[in-house]
Amino acid sequence: MAYSATGTHPLGLHLIGSGAAGKIYHYATADAKATVIAANYFLTDYNKFDAGDIIHVRAVVGGTEVHFEVAILVSSSATVTTLSSASKA
C-alpha cells in the first residue's frame, strides 16, 4: 500500500495541532513501519510538511498494531527525509 493523505477514518493523515514549534499529525496505515520510514514515503505531500513536524503513526499489518513517531528532517519537492522513533506497543 502506498502513502495516502486521505482515507476512511482512521486511515489517512490528519493534522491534530500546530504552533510555533511546528505541526503534529496523526497517520494511520496498513503499511509496515519499514515502508513508512523509507525515504520519500510522504513525498506526494511534501508541501504540507516543514522540518521539525512530527507524525504519530499507527500501523496495523496483519492484525499486529505498531505505534511510532516520525520527525520530518527535510521536506522539498525532491525529497522528504524522516527520522523515526522506536516502536511502541
Side-chain angles (χ1 to χ4, degrees):
M1 186 174 189
Y3 165 72
S4 174
T6 60
T8 57
H9 186 71
L11 294 178
L13 182 75
H14 306 281
L15 178 65
I16 57 173
S18 65
K23 297 180 290 294
I24 298 174
Y25 294 89
H26 179 265
Y27 179 62
T29 184
D31 289 339
K33 180 179 180 180
T35 301
V36 175
I37 65 173
N40 298 324
Y41 180 80
F42 295 101
L43 186 60
T44 57
D45 275 335
Y46 76 91
N47 57 345
K48 288 184 178 180
F49 306 114
D50 297 305
D53 288 351
I54 301 293
I55 304 170
H56 297 283
V57 180
R58 176 180 178 254
V60 181
V61 181
T64 301
E65 187 169 329
V66 176
H67 295 262
F68 57 95
E69 292 181 350
V70 173
I72 303 294
L73 299 178
V74 176
S75 185
S76 71
S77 60
T79 187
V80 174
T81 306
T82 61
L83 177 66
S84 69
S85 69
S87 299
K88 304 168 193 163

